[in-house]
Amino acid sequence: HNSTYRETFLPTIKAVPDDVFQRRHYWLRNDGLGGKLLSHHGDAYQGNKVTQYDEEFNRRERTGKNVLPEKRSWDSGTLSWRPEKSDFPIFGAPTNWGLKDKMSP
């Protein structure tokens, strides 16, 4: 008795695994993404190290080119107010909350 599955999907006898997929899988598993996660765009996001926590809780001010646009409008396509703060990240050096000064001798 043959089923539809057996008739449609015949077994391939000389099937070989996809070597490219396997190499990529084992490479990512062993080495991980490393520096490729944030550096694949070059230096475009190099100064983007200020976190939302630093902006909200430490009251980091937006000055110069980091100032938000004056007006926001409702975007019915995404059902959100545009632009959001997250659309305009603050560029600058990160704050280490004085930890470096405390840890250094």
Side-chain angles (χ1 to χ4, degrees), residues 36-100:
K36 292 188 171 101
L37 188 61
L38 295 175
S39 65
H40 65 278
H41 289 293
D43 293 336
Y45 298 104
Q46 192 64 22
N48 189 8
K49 305 246 191 291
V50 178
T51 61
Q52 185 177 3
Y53 180 86
D54 194 19
E55 182 181 357
E56 295 293 327
F57 295 103
N58 292 335
R59 303 287 184 221
R60 177 103 174 224
E61 292 186 24
R62 290 180 167 267
T63 58
K65 65 179 181 178
N66 293 319
V67 176
L68 289 173
E70 298 258 342
K71 293 184 178 182
R72 297 189 318 164
S73 60
W74 178 253
D75 185 3
S76 59
T78 59
L79 299 177
S80 63
W81 288 97
R82 293 288 180 187
E84 295 279 338
K85 277 188 179 181
S86 58
D87 295 337
F88 296 93
I90 296 179
F91 288 91
T95 305
N96 57 10
W97 299 285
L99 294 176
K100 184 178 179 183

Side-chain angles (χ1 to χ4, degrees), residues 21-36:
F21 175 76
Q22 283 186 345
R23 276 187 274 132
R24 183 182 307 129
H25 170 73
Y26 289 118
W27 177 74
L28 284 174
R29 191 179 76 179
N30 292 334
D31 296 338
L33 290 175
K36 292 188 171 101

Side-chain angles (χ1 to χ4, degrees), residues 10-19:
L10 298 174
T12 54
I13 297 171
K14 294 184 179 182
V16 293
D18 185 7
D19 290 339

